[in-house]
């Protein structure tokens, strides 16, 4: 069994997704999952599900919902234990449990000074989020407080991942993320401090100081307070260009496009990587291409995309993620923010897509704007034109992840881009996870593929040889015994995320070692 609460509630077993019944019954399961393995009293459930609006029939309704869940779940998983009920869930079977363990491992690695491991673990933790937690249960009394708690945990994980990236010297690559995060969380001081530090390390001292002053003014206007002593000290250090602010030395950028890494770095995905590489080669030759990557959650869509982008060489990469945000064009704006660090690209966007200037504060002052007549159709037309002009100068990869969580405007624009046939050096890569909520999107994407406008890459589970190769890569000091690899394949079924979590469990339990 696998349960997912970090996004829409889902439960699946060997036969596929489970039917969880009506909303109140689903809410009961979500509430029990938050305290998996612990008894939740009936009185607490009544209060959490109905609050002050408790009907006389509520105790009986809880019994009915419990009965319905028992029909859907494996026998014995939902147990009556006075004074209430307990849901028995295997360690790691719920995405919240995996997130908390990965986040804890990442924080421990960060505190120990192991930034590479910290960045990996924290990134894996954040990849489990498919949208706002418990968003479908906003009407239930228990959900608001729990959703805020989980969102705070996610934000802390985001901040720690950025700390790890900064420690690795990746200050330039996190600036776009930090600018978007500070817009969404304008009073969160830690994010502003990270942005100031990243800008300074990227030789943008004036912008770093301006970011501090903007945050200080907002605090004064909205709360009537000053920034913390730590942030004021950071501003002073930036003003004085203190040596202690210097970045860790990142690996030097190659002077020529790097040679592709061998496919063995991602065993089991050689065919899929080859498909993406062919599409990129076609785009470099002036034939714009679209590739759609799909597969169940945790199957390795992000790992495949990262491995491919690592091989992208001299191309411009614009990478955005939906993460269930409702703001129009949110993942595209994230992607374009990464491109806008290039002066030539920023100038082209400002000149060719003036309707977008109001949505791109990083282009402020570059264009006169478009005060009248900004429509959705015009925004689509202008951005496609701008991207094609950018790609005329240098190949571009536009990658958008988790498209099933994207807003309608983003989907419409990407669909128009996919249907366009023009001699431009542009490759669009889209990822999505199938499911009931994604079925309209999946139908549209299938039509694009059938019409020849896109190529479909469907990720399946790994075969035993790929599982063994990945296990050997994880323990390079000694080749794992074949029996261990075979057991791993039998237990996790070739699912990459479950493979990793199971090996983590074996390590923590002392069952295997280096």
């Amino acid at each position: 069994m696998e349960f997912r609460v970090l996004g829409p509630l889902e439960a699946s077993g060997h036969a596929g997704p489970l039917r969880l019944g009506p909303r109140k019954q689903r809410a009961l399961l979500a509430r029990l999952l938050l305290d998996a393995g612990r008894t939740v009293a009936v009185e607490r459930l009544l209060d959490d599900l109905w609050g002050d609006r408790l009907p006389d029939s509520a105790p009986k309704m809880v019994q009915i919902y419990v009965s319905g869940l028992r029909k859907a779940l494996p026998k014995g998983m939902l147990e009556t234990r006075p004074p209430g009920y307990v849901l028995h869930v295997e360690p790691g079977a719920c995405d919240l449990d995996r997130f908390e363990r990965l986040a804890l491992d990442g924080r421990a690695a960060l505190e120990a000074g192991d930034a590479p491991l910290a960045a990996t673990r924290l990134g894996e933790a954040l990849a489990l989020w498919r949208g706002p937690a418990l968003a479908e249960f906003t009407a239930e009394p228990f959900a608001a407080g729990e959703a805020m708690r989980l969102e705070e945990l996610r934000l802390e994980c985001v901040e720690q991942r950025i700390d790890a990236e900064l420690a690795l010297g990746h200050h330039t690559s996190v600036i776009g993320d930090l600018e978007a995060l500070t817009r969404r969380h304008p009073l969160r001081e830690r994010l502003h401090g990270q942005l100031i530090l990243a800008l300074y390390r990227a030789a943008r001292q004036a912008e770093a100081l301006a970011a501090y002053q903007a945050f200080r003014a907002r605090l004064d206007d909205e709360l009537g307070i000053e920034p913390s002593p730590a942030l004021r000290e950071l501003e002073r250090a930036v003003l004085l260009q203190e040596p202690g602010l210097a970045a860790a030395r990142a690996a030097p950028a190659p002077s020529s496009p790097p040679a592709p890494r061998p496919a063995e770095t991602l065993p089991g995905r050689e065919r899929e990587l080859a498909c993406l590489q062919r599409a990129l080669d076609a785009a470099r030759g002036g034939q714009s291409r679209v590739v759609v990557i799909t597969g169940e959650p945790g199957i390795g869509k992000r790992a495949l995309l990262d491995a491919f982008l690592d091989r992208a060489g001299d191309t411009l990469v614009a990478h955005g993620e939906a993460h269930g945000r409702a703001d129009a064009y949110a993942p595209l704006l994230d992607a374009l923010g990464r491109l806008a660090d290039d002066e030539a690209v920023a100038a082209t966007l400002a000149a060719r897509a003036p309707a977008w200037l109001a949505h791109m504060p990083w282009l402020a002052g570059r264009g006169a704007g478009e005060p009248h007549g900004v429509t959705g159709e015009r925004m689509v037309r202008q951005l496609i034109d701008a991207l094609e002009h950018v790609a005329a100068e240098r190949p571009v990869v536009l990658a958008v992840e988790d498209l099933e969580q994207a807003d309608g405007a983003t989907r419409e624009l990407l669909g128009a881009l996919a249907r366009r046939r023009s001699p431009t050096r542009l490759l669009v890569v889209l990822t999505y996870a199938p499911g009931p909520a994604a079925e309209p999107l999946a139908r549209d994407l299938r039509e694009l593929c059938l019409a020849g406008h896109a190529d479909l890459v469907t990720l399946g589970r790994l075969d035993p040889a790929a599982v063994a190769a990945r296990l050997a890569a994880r323990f390079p000091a000694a080749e794992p015994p074949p029996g261990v690899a075979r057991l791993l394949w039998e237990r996790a079924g070739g699912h990459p995320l479950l493979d990793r979590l199971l090996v983590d469990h074996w390590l923590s339990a002392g069952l295997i070692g280096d």
Side-chain angles (χ1 to χ4, degrees):
M1 284 297 302
E2 183 177 2
F3 297 94
R4 292 176 285 276
V5 298
L6 302 179
L9 177 67
E10 296 178 359
S12 58
H14 292 298
L18 304 184
R19 295 181 180 273
L20 300 176
R23 181 178 60 82
K24 210 72 169 183
Q25 183 169 301
R26 293 168 58 84
L28 174 61
L29 176 59
R31 176 61 189 85
L32 292 171
L33 280 168
L34 294 174
D35 275 306
R38 295 187 290 270
T39 301
V40 183
V42 172
E43 289 76 7
R44 179 66 184 273
L45 292 174
L46 295 174
D47 187 55
D48 285 347
L49 294 176
W50 282 278
D52 296 333
R53 300 180 178 180
L54 186 66
D56 294 338
S57 61
K60 181 64 175 177
M61 294 302 297
V62 168
Q63 294 177 1
I64 292 173
Y65 295 145
V66 167
S67 176
L69 289 174
R70 281 176 171 157
K71 293 176 181 177
L73 299 173
K75 184 177 181 180
M77 180 170 282
L78 180 51
E79 176 191 355
T80 301
R81 180 187 292 173
Y85 302 95
V86 59
L87 184 68
H88 297 289
V89 178
E90 290 291 326
C94 181
D95 59 357
L96 176 56
D97 179 40
R98 299 197 297 273
F99 168 77
E100 290 177 330
R101 289 194 290 115
L102 285 167
L104 183 63
D105 289 347
R107 182 167 64 250
L110 191 61
E111 292 171 352
D114 190 344
L117 179 60
T120 298
R121 290 291 179 265
L122 295 167
E124 290 170 347
L126 291 169
L128 294 172
W129 285 74
R130 299 165 293 112
L134 306 177
E136 64 191 286
F137 304 119
T138 53
E140 314 302 338
F142 79 92
E146 284 295 330
M148 289 178 61
R149 180 182 72 85
L150 295 176
E151 176 62 14
E152 178 62 25
L153 290 177
R154 188 190 70 82
L155 273 174
E156 289 177 359
C157 189
V158 168
E159 291 168 338
Q160 290 161 2
R161 182 190 65 81
I162 291 172
D163 278 341
E165 297 291 347
L166 288 171
L168 290 168
H170 300 162
H171 37 272
T172 301
S173 64
V174 300
I175 288 175
D177 288 340
L178 284 167
E179 288 175 334
L181 286 165
T182 51
R183 287 194 298 271
R184 291 197 294 272
H185 306 281
L187 299 178
R188 200 167 179 95
E189 185 170 291
R190 185 175 178 184
L191 291 172
H192 286 275
Q194 291 174 324
L195 175 59
I196 292 166
L197 181 60
L199 287 169
Y200 176 77
R201 289 181 172 179
R204 296 161 65 176
Q205 183 184 12
E207 294 174 69
L209 293 170
Y212 172 83
Q213 292 299 334
F215 178 60
R216 180 177 179 273
R218 181 182 285 273
L219 285 182
D220 184 48
D221 291 343
E222 297 189 16
L223 302 176
I225 63 174
E226 286 286 319
S228 71
L231 197 63
R232 295 200 299 271
E233 175 60 25
L234 176 60
E235 184 216 16
R236 189 191 68 82
V238 170
L239 278 168
L240 298 177
Q241 299 184 1
E242 291 190 351
L245 293 183
R249 188 176 297 275
S255 55
S256 59
R261 295 183 303 180
E264 287 75 18
T265 55
L266 200 63
R269 300 301 188 215
E270 295 84 359
R271 180 178 58 84
E272 292 83 357
L273 278 171
C275 177
L276 286 163
Q277 188 60 50
R278 286 194 298 272
L280 179 57
D281 291 342
R284 282 175 169 151
Q287 299 177 347
S288 62
R289 301 296 302 162
V290 177
V291 177
V292 178
I293 303 173
T294 186
E296 63 182 302
I299 202 65
K301 298 184 291 296
R302 178 62 179 269
L304 175 65
L305 181 60
D306 286 347
F308 166 65
L309 294 179
D310 282 349
R311 296 164 166 78
D314 61 339
T315 61
L316 283 170
V317 174
H319 185 187
E321 303 172 55
H323 284 327
R325 289 171 290 170
D327 297 345
Y329 303 115
L332 288 172
L333 291 172
D334 282 354
L336 294 171
R338 291 175 170 83
L339 279 183
D341 284 340
D342 185 296
E343 288 295 324
V345 172
T348 300
L349 289 173
R352 295 277 176 179
W356 288 77
L357 290 176
H359 301 273
M360 301 181 188
W362 53 86
L363 295 180
R366 294 180 181 271
E370 188 161 301
H372 304 294
V374 176
T375 64
E377 292 81 0
R378 180 169 294 183
M379 292 182 71
V380 169
R381 185 174 65 252
Q382 288 185 1
L383 186 61
I384 291 176
D385 176 66
L387 285 173
E388 289 179 348
H389 275 80
V390 171
E393 300 297 325
R394 185 175 171 187
V396 174
V397 175
L398 173 62
V400 177
E401 290 189 73
D402 305 322
L403 195 59
E404 76 278 6
Q405 300 180 47
D407 60 280
T410 295
R411 294 187 188 183
E412 180 181 352
L413 192 151
L414 290 171
L417 193 58
R419 291 179 176 86
R420 188 174 177 84
R421 279 288 177 263
S422 59
T424 187
R425 296 186 292 174
L426 174 65
L427 170 62
V428 179
V429 182
L430 310 173
T431 77
Y432 83 96
E439 185 49 40
L441 167 69
R443 185 168 56 250
D444 292 343
L445 292 175
R446 284 195 297 268
E447 290 177 359
L448 282 176
C449 294
L450 289 172
H453 295 297
D455 298 320
L456 181 64
V457 173
T458 301
L459 297 186
R461 300 206 171 194
L462 301 171
D463 60 26
V467 170
R470 292 188 178 211
L471 186 63
R474 181 164 178 176
F475 298 96
E479 183 176 350
V484 175
R486 184 72 187 183
L487 181 63
L488 178 60
W489 182 78
E490 292 173 351
R491 293 287 180 86
H495 189 287
L497 177 60
L498 297 181
D499 282 354
R500 188 176 68 249
L501 292 173
L502 186 54
V503 173
D504 288 345
H505 169 67
W506 287 348
L507 284 168
S508 63
L511 299 175
I512 59 174
D514 290 346

